[in-house]
Amino acid sequence: RQPPTVICYICGREYGTKSISIHEPQCLKKWYQENDNLPKHLRRPEPKKPEVRTVQAKGFYDLHALNEAAWTSAQAQLVPCDICGRTFLPDRLIIHQRSCKPK
């Protein structure tokens, strides 16, 4: 059995339950730096951390619901290509559009 992991709501990657609290502030700082370097039309609003209520009286979170909400949040940040419709992170969309050709 694999150890439980939590999905980052910013980048969509999986981290251990102890590591996610260290990763999220660093990931958000990196997100701000990358977003500021994008052209104005590709800049995105700040990602909001999804709220998931505790399930049990002991205060535990439903890890599956938390991961589902984080994954949805990370996917919502992707931007579609005007030519082919595929979705990319904004900084990768610029590179993709150099070689994207209409069918």
Side-chain angles (χ1 to χ4, degrees):
R1 204 174 102 111
Q2 293 181 339
T5 58
V6 180
I7 296 176
C8 174
Y9 72 97
I10 303 164
C11 65
R13 294 187 183 134
E14 290 186 48
Y15 292 90
T17 53
K18 303 285 186 193
S19 304
I20 193 71
S21 61
I22 298 167
H23 166 77
E24 282 180 352
Q26 294 173 347
C27 191
L28 192 57
K29 184 178 177 184
K30 180 181 175 189
W31 182 90
Y32 276 122
Q33 291 172 343
E34 290 175 356
N35 200 45
D36 290 343
N37 291 335
L38 292 173
K40 290 234 184 240
H41 70 282
L42 289 178
R43 289 188 185 163
R44 305 165 287 169
E46 178 183 345
K48 300 290 182 212
K49 186 169 185 167
E51 289 186 29
V52 177
R53 299 174 189 250
T54 56
V55 177
Q56 302 171 352
K58 293 180 181 178
F60 292 116
Y61 289 102
D62 179 4
L63 203 55
H64 180 71
L66 181 67
N67 283 341
E68 190 68 35
W71 177 251
T72 304
S73 174
Q75 293 302 304
Q77 296 179 53
L78 300 179
V79 179
C81 173
D82 297 332
I83 301 167
C84 68
R86 288 176 57 199
T87 55
F88 298 89
L89 288 171
D91 61 329
R92 305 315 302 167
L93 178 64
I94 297 168
I95 294 165
H96 164 77
Q97 286 179 331
R98 292 182 202 153
S99 60
C100 186
K101 296 179 177 71
K103 291 184 179 179

